[in-house]
Amino acid sequence: MELWKAMERDHAEQLVLCQDQFSGLKAVIAIHSTRLGPALGGCRMWDYGSEEEAIRDALRLARGMSYKCAAAGLAYGGGKAVIMGRPDSTQREAIFRSLGRFIHTLQGRYITGIDLGTTVNDMDAVRQETGYVTDTTGSLCATGDFTAQMTAYGVFLGIVESLKQVYGSPIMKNLTVAVQGLGKVGTFLCRYLHDAAARLIVTDVDDQRVRSAVQQFGATAVQPDLIYACSCDIFAPCALGGILNDTTIGQLQCSIVAGAANNQLAEEKHGLMLYDAGILYAPDYVINAGGIIVTAAELSDCDRAEAKRQVECIAATVSTVYQASKLEGIAASTAADRLAEKQLSRPQP
């Protein structure tokens, strides 16, 4: 893998390869941008197929965090840590303490937190070696499921703005939403939608989650590969990334795509494909920014009420993106990128 070319492609500032033979740590820390402030982004633990796959994932995710922070108006940049493999419980604390030592050498350029495969206990271990960490025991983000709830809340507000754009009304009663993915965020989103009297179609690879959603929300269940072709008003992807692609976009029977998943567009061109198909796309990193907004609020010692108020600003950002899309005749995904890139390129004091 040509590391310099990979960094240039994603416009990354820094790439740190971390190895500790005593703990067994093998990790990558990618910092995309610190122009607006320290890079924020969680630590992901995954069974990557290769070192190249781990590096590409870290760079891609770090870039996404920069755009997410910039579009949300936060004084932070984007970064990501990924750990290769899934250690057993006897290794885990040592591995995360080792990661904490590597993070500390960056002197505040990168602040980590929970992501896929990591927990509050892992962040507690990182905390033993550095203060550049969030989501530790007793923190705002680690209390209950507040981060997941606020992420879903921001997505719900983005859906409401999308309804105004397409239907001229925020009323959700009797509209149908197809929710793909019933993890914590997807389930919280279902609750918000159900309370707003929407009809739900749901799917997940976990049958128990599906049964629970059917029972709680009166949802209709479908198999995972059938969700794209469901006739609905809104398709809400809340699971894996890259699901809006050459194959799936042609199957969609909706007016709006708005969900919590990261990196929903397989390629940049797919935002234009949705636009050309007359489907309004709520850019993922704009409407799913509730989690990172809460993290930034935690770092500023805000309480839950203030954090929620800041998440509510997502509605105005979504509206701004749609206005730019309409005014300039460009896809909403392009309008969002331009908004984020304008923030990232502004002169620094």
Side-chain angles (χ1 to χ4, degrees), residues 49 98 114 165 174 187 198 200 210 255 259:
S98 178
I114 291 174
Q165 183 76 13
N174 295 327
T187 299
L200 296 176
V210 173
S255 300

Side-chain angles (χ1 to χ4, degrees), residues 1-20:
M1 182 180 186
E2 298 184 65
L3 295 179
W4 291 114
K5 286 187 177 180
M7 291 179 68
E8 288 171 2
R9 184 187 62 248
D10 287 307
H11 307 289
E13 288 182 6
Q14 189 172 4
L15 185 66
V16 183
L17 305 182
C18 310
Q19 178 172 279
D20 177 14

Side-chain angles (χ1 to χ4, degrees), residues 9-331:
R9 184 187 62 248
D10 287 307
H11 307 289
E13 288 182 6
Q14 189 172 4
L15 185 66
V16 183
L17 305 182
C18 310
Q19 178 172 279
D20 177 14
Q21 62 178 323
F22 298 104
S23 67
L25 173 74
K26 287 188 176 181
V28 179
I29 301 172
I31 296 176
H32 176 263
S33 174
T34 56
R35 284 187 61 82
L36 302 180
L40 284 185
C43 173
R44 174 170 294 196
M45 179 179 282
W46 191 250
D47 285 323
Y48 290 98
S50 66
E51 292 90 345
E52 180 176 342
E53 184 183 340
I55 291 168
R56 290 192 185 282
D57 200 33
L59 288 168
R60 176 180 58 86
L61 292 166
R63 181 178 184 272
M65 292 306 302
S66 283
Y67 277 57
K68 186 177 295 191
C69 288
L74 302 178
Y76 292 97
K80 210 73 172 184
V82 301
I83 297 176
M84 294 188 65
R86 298 190 186 188
D88 61 38
S89 57
T90 62
Q91 300 172 281
R92 203 165 179 112
E93 181 178 352
I95 281 177
F96 281 93
R97 289 191 65 169
S98 178
L99 179 67
R101 290 191 290 273
F102 280 107
I103 290 172
H104 198 70
T105 66
L106 296 173
Q107 299 181 311
R109 283 175 54 78
Y110 168 64
I111 302 170
T112 198
I114 291 174
D115 202 305
L116 179 68
T118 57
T119 67
V120 172
N121 287 340
D122 297 331
M123 296 308 108
D124 288 345
V126 172
R127 175 73 77 181
Q128 293 184 60
E129 303 294 339
T130 185
Y132 302 120
V133 59
T134 62
D135 304 333
T136 54
T137 298
S139 67
L140 178 66
C141 294
T143 303
D145 292 320
F146 187 62
T147 300
Q149 183 181 357
M150 288 298 96
T151 301
Y153 183 49
V155 173
F156 175 75
L157 295 175
I159 289 174
V160 170
E161 288 300 314
S162 302
L163 293 177
K164 293 178 184 177
Q165 183 76 13
V166 174
Y167 298 117
S169 169
I171 297 174
M172 205 168 296
K173 185 176 181 180
N174 295 327
L175 295 183
T176 301
V177 186
V179 180
Q180 179 191 47
L182 298 169
K184 287 183 178 180
V185 175
T187 299
F188 274 120
L189 178 60
C190 285
R191 184 166 294 121
Y192 284 119
L193 295 168
H194 176 69
D195 291 346
R199 293 189 293 255
L200 296 176
I201 300 171
V202 299
T203 196
D204 194 280
V205 295
D206 186 324
D207 290 340
Q208 179 54 47
R209 290 177 178 176
V210 173
R211 287 193 293 269
S212 178
V214 170
Q215 182 177 6
Q216 288 185 70
F217 311 120
T220 299
V222 299
Q223 291 299 311
D225 59 338
L226 300 179
I227 192 73
Y228 303 103
C230 286
S231 178
C232 59
D233 298 284
I234 303 147
F235 173 52
C238 297
L240 299 175
I243 54 86
L244 297 171
N245 52 51
D246 291 344
T247 301
T248 59
I249 289 174
Q251 299 178 49
L252 295 177
Q253 299 187 53
C254 60
S255 300
I256 297 166
V257 174
N262 287 313
N263 303 311
Q264 294 170 24
L265 301 175
E267 298 178 54
E268 186 176 334
K269 68 176 184 178
H270 294 120
L272 181 59
M273 284 179 63
L274 289 168
Y275 178 74
D276 289 342
I279 298 173
L280 181 65
Y281 172 61
D284 47 28
Y285 62 80
V286 176
I287 69 168
N288 71 10
I292 202 65
I293 291 172
V294 170
T295 297
E298 175 186 316
L299 292 169
S300 299
D301 295 321
C302 296
D303 60 17
R304 291 167 71 95
E306 174 59 19
K308 183 178 181 181
R309 187 196 68 77
Q310 292 181 20
V311 171
E312 289 170 350
C313 294
I314 288 174
T317 306
V318 172
S319 178
T320 297
V321 168
Y322 288 159
Q323 289 174 22
S325 171
K326 187 174 182 179
L327 182 65
E328 299 177 41
I330 56 177

